[in-house]
Amino acid sequence: MSSTFKISVTKMDFGVSEELSGKVYDTIIIGGGPAGLSAAIYAARYGMSTIIITEEIGGQVGKSGWVENYLGYTRIMGPDLVTKFEEHVKYYNVPIIIDSVENVERDGDLFKVYTLNGDEYTGRTIIIAVGEKKRKLNVPGEDAFNGRGVSYCAPCDAPLFKGKVVAVVGGGDSAASAALLLTEYASKVYLIHRRNQLRAQKYYQDLLLKNPKIEIIWNAVVKELQGDKLLRKAVLQRVDTKEVLELPLDGLFVEIGAEPPIELFKRMGLELSQDGYIKVNHLMETSIQGIYAAGDCIDLTPRDFRQIVVAAGQGALAAYSAYNYIIRRYGFNRR
C-alpha cells in the first residue's frame, strides 16, 4: 500500500505542494470540516494514502459558538473543537493542503483535481465534503461594512464588541448560538427574524427568552446598513406592516443559513437536487462511480438538522465505501 506523508502544508509551500501533487492517492478528500476530517481519519486507518484539500480547517464549526451536543464534550467552543479534530487527523499524518478546488475530472481509471493555486492532484477516489458557505443579506452597505461592523463569525469577532450594541440576523440554531455568545461581551443584543417564531431548537429558545440582554425583533428584515467608517445603524422593514425603522448598532452578525458550491458540482457533472445539493445513496455514493460525498453538501440530511455528529458519521461512511471500492477495483497491492 501507499504510505502517508508526515507533513501538513499550506498553499504557500509551493515546493512541498508540488511534491505532494506528483503522487497518486487512494483518496483525495475535498473539504476540511467534520465530514472531511472524519473521512481522513477512517481512510488513514484503512491504510489508504490520503490527502485533504480545503479552503479552511473546520468549516462552519470553526465559526460556531458554544457546542453543547457533540458526544464527549458537554460544552466546547467551535474553534476549540476544530483544534481537537485537526490534532486527531495529524496523528495519522494526513497532509492538509490549504487551497480551493476548481474542478475534478476523470482521467481513465483515476481522477484529476485542479486547484486555484495551479496544482494538480491525482486520486483513485474522491470524497467531497465541502459543506456550505454562509449566505449574505445582499443589501446596500453589507459589503462596505464587512469587517467594519458586519461579521459572519461570532466566535471570531464577538470580543471586539465588548460593551457595544449588536444584532444577529436569523432564526435558526446558529443565530441563537451567536446571540447567546454575544451576550458575554455586548451590552445589548438584538435578534432580528423575518417570522413570528424561531426555527431554533427549544433549548436555545428558552435560553434566549430568559436572557435579559437579548431582545427579539419579530417580523422584520434588514433593508440597508449605514454608517461612516464603521457601521452605525441598520434600516429595518416590518414584514407585516411594511413600517420602516432605524436601529442604532455597532455590529451586525449574519446567520441566515448557507448553500453549497453548486457551480463546482455542476462542472464535475454530479447529479444534484433541485436546490443544488449532491445526491447520494445510503453508502454516500454519488452518481459518478468512485466519487463519494458527505456532510452538509449532500441531499440526505434534513436541511434543519445540520449537525456535527451527523457529518462526522457520514464522512466515516464515505471513507468505508471508498475503501471497499479500492479493494474491489485494485486489490491490496496497488501502487
Side-chain angles (χ1 to χ4, degrees), residues 12-72:
M12 299 305 295
D13 298 322
F14 296 111
V16 177
S17 181
E18 183 178 349
E19 177 188 345
L20 292 177
S21 65
K23 310 295 181 180
V24 176
Y25 296 93
D26 288 330
T27 191
I28 297 175
I29 299 169
I30 304 173
L37 297 175
S38 176
I41 291 169
Y42 275 79
R45 288 176 61 84
Y46 282 129
M48 299 168 68
S49 57
T50 305
I51 193 170
I52 298 172
I53 305 174
T54 183
E55 294 181 10
E56 58 181 350
I57 300 174
Q60 295 301 321
V61 180
K63 301 179 178 66
S64 301
W66 289 110
V67 176
E68 299 176 308
N69 55 358
Y70 189 75
L71 190 64

Side-chain angles (χ1 to χ4, degrees), residues 97-131:
I97 300 294
I98 304 300
D99 204 344
S100 176
V101 171
E102 294 287 280
N103 200 11
V104 177
E105 296 179 352
R106 184 180 285 281
D107 181 21
D109 288 339
L110 305 174
F111 294 98
K112 294 289 187 180
V113 177
Y114 302 95
T115 72
L116 181 64
N117 194 47
D119 290 320
E120 177 184 312
Y121 300 88
T122 305
R124 295 184 174 93
T125 64
I126 303 292
I127 296 176
I128 305 171
V130 293

Side-chain angles (χ1 to χ4, degrees), residues 172-219:
D173 285 353
S174 60
S177 176
L180 291 166
L181 173 63
L182 285 162
T183 61
E184 299 181 18
Y185 301 92
S187 60
K188 177 75 174 181
V189 179
Y190 293 99
L191 182 60
I192 304 168
H193 186 45
R194 63 168 54 242
R195 298 181 177 86
N196 59 5
Q197 61 181 14
L198 300 175
R199 301 188 314 277
Q201 57 186 286
K202 186 177 184 301
Y203 173 78
Y204 280 134
Q205 294 193 38
D206 291 342
L207 292 177
L208 291 171
L209 295 174
K210 291 177 183 177
N211 196 306
K213 284 190 176 182
I214 296 176
E215 179 180 340
I216 302 177
I217 302 177
W218 303 102
N219 299 307

Side-chain angles (χ1 to χ4, degrees), residues 50-295:
T50 305
I51 193 170
I52 298 172
I53 305 174
T54 183
E55 294 181 10
E56 58 181 350
I57 300 174
Q60 295 301 321
V61 180
K63 301 179 178 66
S64 301
W66 289 110
V67 176
E68 299 176 308
N69 55 358
Y70 189 75
L71 190 64
Y73 296 94
T74 54
R75 197 170 195 242
I76 185 171
M77 286 291 289
D80 294 332
L81 185 58
V82 169
T83 297
K84 296 292 186 182
F85 289 167
E86 184 180 4
E87 289 173 352
H88 198 168
V89 171
K90 286 183 175 179
Y91 174 81
Y92 288 101
N93 300 318
V94 176
I96 300 175
I97 300 294
I98 304 300
D99 204 344
S100 176
V101 171
E102 294 287 280
N103 200 11
V104 177
E105 296 179 352
R106 184 180 285 281
D107 181 21
D109 288 339
L110 305 174
F111 294 98
K112 294 289 187 180
V113 177
Y114 302 95
T115 72
L116 181 64
N117 194 47
D119 290 320
E120 177 184 312
Y121 300 88
T122 305
R124 295 184 174 93
T125 64
I126 303 292
I127 296 176
I128 305 171
V130 293
E132 302 170 300
K133 290 189 176 181
K134 288 192 174 182
R135 290 192 181 99
K136 299 176 68 175
L137 294 169
N138 293 319
V139 299
E142 182 176 12
D143 290 337
F145 295 110
N146 186 3
R148 295 192 292 154
V150 174
S151 174
Y152 304 88
C153 179
C156 308
D157 297 332
L160 302 176
F161 294 90
K162 189 171 184 178
K164 304 290 187 179
V165 177
V166 301
V168 177
V169 184
D173 285 353
S174 60
S177 176
L180 291 166
L181 173 63
L182 285 162
T183 61
E184 299 181 18
Y185 301 92
S187 60
K188 177 75 174 181
V189 179
Y190 293 99
L191 182 60
I192 304 168
H193 186 45
R194 63 168 54 242
R195 298 181 177 86
N196 59 5
Q197 61 181 14
L198 300 175
R199 301 188 314 277
Q201 57 186 286
K202 186 177 184 301
Y203 173 78
Y204 280 134
Q205 294 193 38
D206 291 342
L207 292 177
L208 291 171
L209 295 174
K210 291 177 183 177
N211 196 306
K213 284 190 176 182
I214 296 176
E215 179 180 340
I216 302 177
I217 302 177
W218 303 102
N219 299 307
V221 295
V222 177
K223 300 298 289 184
E224 185 179 355
L225 300 174
Q226 299 178 356
D228 37 54
K229 292 183 178 180
L230 300 173
L231 176 68
R232 300 301 181 190
K233 62 183 174 182
V235 179
L236 310 182
Q237 183 177 48
R238 298 282 185 183
V239 175
D240 45 2
T241 65
K242 305 304 179 183
E243 175 190 3
V244 175
L245 58 115
E246 295 184 351
L247 184 67
L249 290 174
D250 299 298
L252 184 82
F253 291 79
V254 181
E255 294 286 354
I256 57 173
E259 56 191 2
I262 299 172
E263 293 307 315
L264 170 62
F265 299 163
K266 288 181 177 179
R267 287 195 294 272
M268 294 175 63
L270 294 163
E271 184 180 357
L272 307 177
S273 66
Q274 188 173 1
D275 52 352
Y277 291 81
I278 301 173
K279 288 190 175 183
V280 297
N281 62 14
H282 65 289
L283 293 175
M284 304 295 114
E285 297 170 329
T286 71
S287 58
I288 299 177
Q289 190 177 46
I291 298 183
Y292 306 86

